[in-house]
C-alpha cells in the first residue's frame, strides 16, 4: 500500500471470561438503557431534577473560621488574653511582653492548618472536562457534571472514566486501573463488567451505562475520605497537650487562689479596692498566672519543626505538616509501594535475545541495539522491532522499545492493533528489507504449542522467573492482507527474538533500605503487581525472600489471622487499596508506628491512615495532597536525612522541655505558695519575662536547633517530669525563702524583687547547664552569655529601670546567691537520683 495511514483492525475478545484474580471485584449488572439509543431528553431532565446528575460537592475540608476558632479560643489563649488586656487597661504595657509568645503560637498554628486545608480542598481524582454520550440515538459532547445516571457513555482510547458504570457493548477495551489498584497491567473488560471512575482507557472502545454518579461514585467517595482533615500523630504534641490539659484543669482554682492571696496581702479586698492597691495586686496576679502557662515550650517546638522543614525543603523534601518531621524518627515499620518508590515506575527494555535457526544467541543489551541495526547486512528484525516501539498506539510495554531504536523508514501495509484478549499485535510490510508479517506478543500467544518446549520458550521462562516480562518477536515471509487482518488470520510464524522488559530499580533503593534495617526499622513491600514481579524487585533491593511475594488474594479478613500473616510475610503482591489500608491498621493495632510511601491514587487512603504518609513528587495529585511528606524529586534516598532531622527535633525538644517544664512547675508552686500564705508575689510580669528570657527563651532557641544524633525512645514526657517536678519545687522554695528573708529584714520591695530574681536566675541557669550536657564550647558560651546578660540587666541604668531592678544590699545579695546555690545543689541531686529507666536516649551505633 502507498497510503500513509495503514488500516488498523481492533481485535475482539475470543471468549468472555472473568477478570484476572487480584483485580477489582467486578459485579455483573443488567442494562436498563438501550445501548443503541441512550436516554431521551425527558429521561435526562427527570434525572437532573431528581439529583441524579454527576455533580460533585466541592465541600471544604475545614473553613478558615473553624481553623481560627480552634487556634484562638483555647483556655491558654483566653488566660493570656485576659492578662494582657488587664495590663494594657492599667497602663502597664511593659508587663505584657509574655503575650508575644501566644501570638506567635496562634500565627504558626493557623498558617500550618490553613496550608493543609488548601491542599485538601484542591484534591481531585477526576480530570475529565468533556464526555461523549448517546442520547436519543445521537452522539453528544457534554460536560462531566451534565452526565446523569443511566447515560450511555462512549469511551475510547485516552478517556478517563468520569463515573461508575457497567459495560454494555465493546469489541475489546483495556482499562488502566493502576491509579485505583496499583496493578500496572491494563485489564481487558467484557460486557457486564463494572467500570470505576478514575480508571482510564488504554486501548479499544466501549459503551458504558452509568450506574453511580456524583457523590456516589468511587472517585467521589475516595476524594471525600481523602479530604477528611486529620493531624499527624506526634508524641511531642500529644505530650504537650497532656500538659496543657493538666494545667488547664488547675488554672481555674489557681487564679482564684492567687488573686485572693494578693488582695489579702494588701489588707483584704475592701481595703485594697479603697486604697487603689488592687491594681498592684492584679498586676502581680497576672505575673503568677501567665508564668504558669507553658506557651514558650509550644512555641519552641513549632520553631524547631519549622526550621527542620526549611532545611529539608532545600533538599527537595516538602513537609506538609510540621509534626511530620518528628514522625519518621518514631516509625518502626515502613511500608513501601514497589512502583514509583523502589522502581522508577516505567517499563524499560533490558535486552533482546536473537534467535538463529531455532537456537537462542547471546542477549543484546538494549543500548546496543542501534549498533546491531547499523551493521552491514544486519537482519531485518531490529527495523521491525523499531516500528512497534514508535507506533503511536503502542501499549506501555511496546513503547519501552522506542528509546533503544530510531524510527523505521518503511510504511506498513496493514496493522493489527494490540489487544489484551490475544496479547499480541502485528504489522505487515509489503516491500523493503522488513517485508513480511511481524508479530510481537506474549510467548504463549505467539509460539502456541511451542510455548511448552524449545530454546525460545526456555529463554522466555528464564526471563519470567527473574520477575521480568518476556515478549517474543516472530516473522512470516508473506505479508498478510486486510481480509486476513480482519479475521486475525496469521501465517505460520518463526520466532526471531525474545525481549526482556523490567522496571528500573532506583539506584538508591537498596542503600536506603539497608539504612532502615540498620536503624531497627522494619521494611515491608505492598504492591498491586504480580507476586513474581514484586518478589524479583524485593530481592534486587536486598530483601530476604525465597520465591515469590505473598499473594494478597489469600489474605484473611479476620484481624488476628491477618496479624499472623503479617508477622510471617513482609513482601506482599496483588494488594488492593482496601487491603493496603487494612494492613496499615493491623500493624498499628499490633502497636507499631507505621510510615507508608506511594505515588498512585490507590495509595492515598493507606497514606492518610498511616502514622506518616510519604508521597513521591511525580505521584498523583491526590496522593501528594494527603501525604505528610513529599519527596519532590522522587529520591527515596532523602528519607535518612528526614530521620536525622526528626531525631534532632525530638532530642532537642526533650532537652529544652526540662527547662520549660521546670519553669512551669516552679511558677505553679510559687503561685500556690504565695496565694495560700497570703504573701505578696515577689515578681513583676516584666521581671519574670527577663528571667524567662535569660534562663529559658534565648538559650532554648539555640539548643532546639543544635545538631543531635540520637535514637528515639518513647516516653520523653515521663523522663522530663521525673526531673522537672522536684527541681521546680526546689526553685519555688528557694524563692520563697529569699523573699521571706528580705521582707523580714525590712528591705525595699524593689530589692526583695531583685533578690528573688537573682535566686531564681541562679537556679534557672543550673537547670540550663544540666540541659546543655554534655558540654560543648557552644553550649558553655550560651550559659556564659546568659550570666553576662543578667549582670547587664541589673547594672545598666536604662535596662535596670525598665525592669525595675534595684541592686540589693550586701547581706541580702549574698543570701540570694547563696540560697540559689543551695537550690542548685539540690537540683543536681535530683538530676543524679532521677530514675534512668528507660534511658533518656540511646546513642547511635
Amino acid at each position: 500500500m502507498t497510503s500513509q495511514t495503514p488500516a488498523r483492525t481492533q481485535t475482539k475478545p475470543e471468549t468472555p471470561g472473568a477478570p484476572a484474580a487480584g483485580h477489582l471485584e467486578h459485579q455483573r449488572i443488567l442494562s436498563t438503557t438501550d445501548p443503541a439509543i441512550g436516554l431521551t431528553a425527558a429521561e435526562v431532565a427527570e434525572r437532573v431534577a431528581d439529583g441524579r446528575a454527576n455533580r460533585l460537592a466541592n465541600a471544604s475540608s475545614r473553613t478558615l473560621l473553624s481553623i481560627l476558632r480552634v487556634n484562638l479560643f483555647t483556655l491558654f489563649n483566653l488566660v493570656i488574653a485576659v492578662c494582657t488586656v488587664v495590663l494594657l487597661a492599667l497602663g502597664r504595657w511593659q508587663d505584657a511582653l509574655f503575650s508575644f509568645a501566644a501570638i506567635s503560637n496562634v500565627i504558626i498554628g493557623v498558617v500550618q492548618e490553613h496550608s493543609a486545608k488548601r491542599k485538601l480542598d484542591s484534591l481531585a481524582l477526576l480530570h475529565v472536562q468533556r464526555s461523549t454520550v448517546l442520547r436519543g440515538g445521537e452522539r453528544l459532547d457534554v460536560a462531566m457534571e451534565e452526565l446523569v445516571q443511566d447515560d450511555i457513555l462512549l469511551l475510547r482510547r485516552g478517556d478517563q472514566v468520569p463515573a461508575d458504570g457497567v459495560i454494555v457493548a465493546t469489541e475489546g477495551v483495556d482499562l488502566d486501573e493502576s491509579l485505583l489498584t496499583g496493578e500496572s497491567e491494563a485489564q481487558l473488560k467484557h460486557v457486564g463488567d463494572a467500570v470505576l471512575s478514575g480508571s482510564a482507557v488504554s486501548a479499544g472502545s466501549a459503551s458504558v451505562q452509568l450506574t453511580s454518579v456524583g457523590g456516589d461514585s468511587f472517585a467521589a467517595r475516595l476524594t471525600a475520605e481523602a479530604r477528611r482533615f486529620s493531624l499527624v500523630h506526634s508524641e511531642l504534641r500529644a505530650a504537650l497537650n497532656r500538659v496543657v490539659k493538666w494545667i488547664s484543669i488547675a488554672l481555674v482554682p489557681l487564679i482564684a487562689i492567687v488573686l485572693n492571696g494578693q488582695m489579702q496581702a494588701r489588707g483584704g479586698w475592701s481595703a485594697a479596692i479603697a486604697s487603689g492597691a488592687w491594681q498592684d495586686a492584679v498586676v502581680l496576679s497576672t505575673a503568677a498566672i501567665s508564668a504558669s502557662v507553658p506557651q514558650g515550650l509550644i512555641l519552641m517546638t513549632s520553631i524547631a519543626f519549622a526550621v527542620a522543614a526549611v532545611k529539608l525543603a532545600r533538599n527537595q523534601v516538602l513537609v506538609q505538616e510540621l509534626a511530620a518531621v518528628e514522625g519518621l524518627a518514631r516509625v518502626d515499620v515502613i511500608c513501601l509501594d514497589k512502583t514509583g518508590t523502589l522502581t522508577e515506575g516505567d517499563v524499560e527494555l533490558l535486552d533482546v535475545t536473537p534467535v538463529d535457526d531455532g537456537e537462542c544467541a547471546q542477549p543484546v543489551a538494549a543500548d546496543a541495539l542501534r549498533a546491531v541495526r547499523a551493521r552491514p547486512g544486519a537482519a531485518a528484525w531490529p527495523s521491525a522491532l523499531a516500528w512497534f516501539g514508535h507506533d503511536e498506539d503502542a501499549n506501555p510495554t511496546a513503547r519501552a522499545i522506542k528509546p533503544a531504536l530510531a524510527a523505521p523508514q518503511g510504511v506498513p501495509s496493514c496493522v493489527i492493533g494490540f489487544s489484551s484478549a490475544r496479547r499480541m499485535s502485528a504489522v505487515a510490510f509489503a516491500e523493503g528489507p522488513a517485508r513480511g508479517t511481524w508479530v510481537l506478543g506474549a510467548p504463549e500467544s505467539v509460539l502456541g504449542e511451542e510455548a511448552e518446549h524449545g530454546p525460545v520458550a526456555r529463554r522466555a521462562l528464564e526471563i519470567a522467573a527473574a520477575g521480568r516480562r518476556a515478549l517474543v518477536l516472530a516473522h512470516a515471509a508473506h505479508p498478510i492482507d486486510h481480509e486476513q487482518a480482519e479475521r486475525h488470520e496469521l501465517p505460520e510464524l518463526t520466532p526471531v527474538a525474545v525481549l526482556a522488559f523490567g522496571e528500573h530499580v532506583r539506584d538508591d533503593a537498596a542503600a536506603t533500605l539497608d539504612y532502615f534495617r540498620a536503624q531497627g526499622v522494619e521494611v515491608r513491600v505492598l504492591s498491586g503487581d504480580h507476586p513474581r514481579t514484586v518478589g524479583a524487585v524485593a530481592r534486587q533491593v536486598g530483601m530476604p525472600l525465597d520465591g515469590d511475594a505473598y499473594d494478597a488474594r489469600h489474605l484473611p479478613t479476620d484481624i488476628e489471622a491477618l496479624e499472623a500473616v503479617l508477622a510471617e510475610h513482609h513482601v506482599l503482591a496483588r494488594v488492593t487499596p482496601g487491603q493496603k489500608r487494612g494492613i496499615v491498621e493491623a500493624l498499628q493495632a499490633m502497636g507499631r508506628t507505621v510510615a507508608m510511601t506511594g505515588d498512585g491514587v490507590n495509595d492515598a487512603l493507606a497514606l492518610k491512615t498511616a502514622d506518616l504518609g510519604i508521597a513521591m513528587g511525580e505521584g498523583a495529585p491526590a496522593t501528594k495532597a494527603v501525604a505528610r511528606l513529599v519527596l519532590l524529586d522522587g529520591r527515596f534516598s532523602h528519607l535518612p536525612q528526614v530521620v536525622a532531622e526528626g531525631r534532632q527535633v525530638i532530642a532537642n525538644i526533650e532537652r529544652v522541655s526540662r527547662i520549660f517544664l521546670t519553669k512551669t512547675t516552679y511558677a505553679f508552686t510559687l503561685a500556690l505558695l504565695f496565694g495560700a500564705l497570703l504573701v505578696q508575689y515577689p515578681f513583676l510580669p516584666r521581671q519574670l519575662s527577663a528571667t524567662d528570657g535569660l534562663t529559658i527563651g534565648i538559650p532554648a532557641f539555640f539548643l532546639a536547633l543544635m545538631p543531635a544524633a540520637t535514637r528515639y525512645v518513647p516516653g520523653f514526657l515521663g523522663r522530663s517530669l521525673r526531673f522537672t517536678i522536684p527541681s521546680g519545687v526546689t526553685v519555688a522554695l528557694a524563692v520563697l525563702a529569699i523573699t521571706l528573708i528580705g521582707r523580714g529584714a525590712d528591705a525595699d520591695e524593689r530589692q526583695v524583687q531583685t533578690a528573688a530574681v537573682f535566686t531564681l536566675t541562679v537556679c534557672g541557669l543550673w537547670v540550663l547547664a544540666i540541659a546543655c550536657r554534655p558540654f560543648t564550647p557552644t553550649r558553655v558560651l550560651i550559659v556564659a552569655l546568659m550570666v553576662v546578660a543578667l549582670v547587664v540587666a541589673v547594672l545598666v541604668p536604662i535596662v535596670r529601670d525598665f525592669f525595675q531592678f534595684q541592686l540589693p544590699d550586701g547581706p541580702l545579695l549574698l543570701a540570694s546567691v547563696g540560697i540559689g546555690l543551695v537550690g542548685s545543689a539540690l537540683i543536681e541531686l535530683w538530676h543524679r537520683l532521677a530514675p534512668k529507666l528507660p534511658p533518656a536516649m540511646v546513642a547511635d551505633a
Side-chain angles (χ1 to χ4, degrees), residues 524 562-570 587 590:
R524 294 174 178 267
L562 177 59
E563 291 177 2
V565 172
L566 295 178
E568 183 177 354
H569 299 279
H570 290 188
L587 290 170
M590 296 163 66

Side-chain angles (χ1 to χ4, degrees), residues 338-361:
K338 175 184 69 68
T339 305
T341 303
L342 297 179
T343 66
E344 299 286 358
D346 296 326
V347 178
E348 65 172 347
L349 176 64
L350 301 177
D351 59 58
V352 178
T353 303
V355 179
D356 187 11
D357 293 330
E359 297 295 326
C360 292

Side-chain angles (χ1 to χ4, degrees), residues 714-788:
F716 99 92
L717 181 58
R719 293 191 296 272
S720 295
L721 292 180
R722 282 194 292 273
F723 167 76
T724 59
I725 290 178
S727 298
V729 171
T730 300
V731 174
L733 292 174
V735 171
L736 177 62
I738 191 61
T739 302
L740 294 178
I741 291 172
R743 291 192 179 138
D746 291 327
D748 183 84
E749 183 62 27
R750 290 288 178 262
Q751 291 188 15
V752 174
Q753 290 176 342
T754 308
V757 167
F758 281 171
T759 300
L760 177 61
T761 305
V762 170
C763 293
L765 288 174
W766 199 271
V767 173
L768 172 62
I770 290 175
C772 286
R773 298 174 190 174
F775 286 112
T776 63
T778 302
R779 292 171 183 167
V780 171
L781 180 62
I782 290 174
V783 177
L785 288 176
M786 295 306 102
V787 175
V788 172

Side-chain angles (χ1 to χ4, degrees), residues 148-194:
V148 299
Q149 187 176 6
D150 297 324
D151 248 332
I152 298 299
L153 175 70
L154 304 181
L155 293 175
R156 57 186 181 277
R157 185 177 180 273
D159 288 346
Q160 187 183 31
V161 182
D164 300 350
V166 59
I167 296 178
V168 294
T170 181
E171 292 189 344
V173 63
D174 293 337
L175 285 186
D176 179 0
E177 297 174 336
S178 59
L179 288 179
L180 307 177
T181 67
E183 173 69 60
S184 58
E185 290 280 0
Q187 306 303 318
L188 176 66
K189 301 299 178 184
H190 306 287
V191 172
D193 283 345

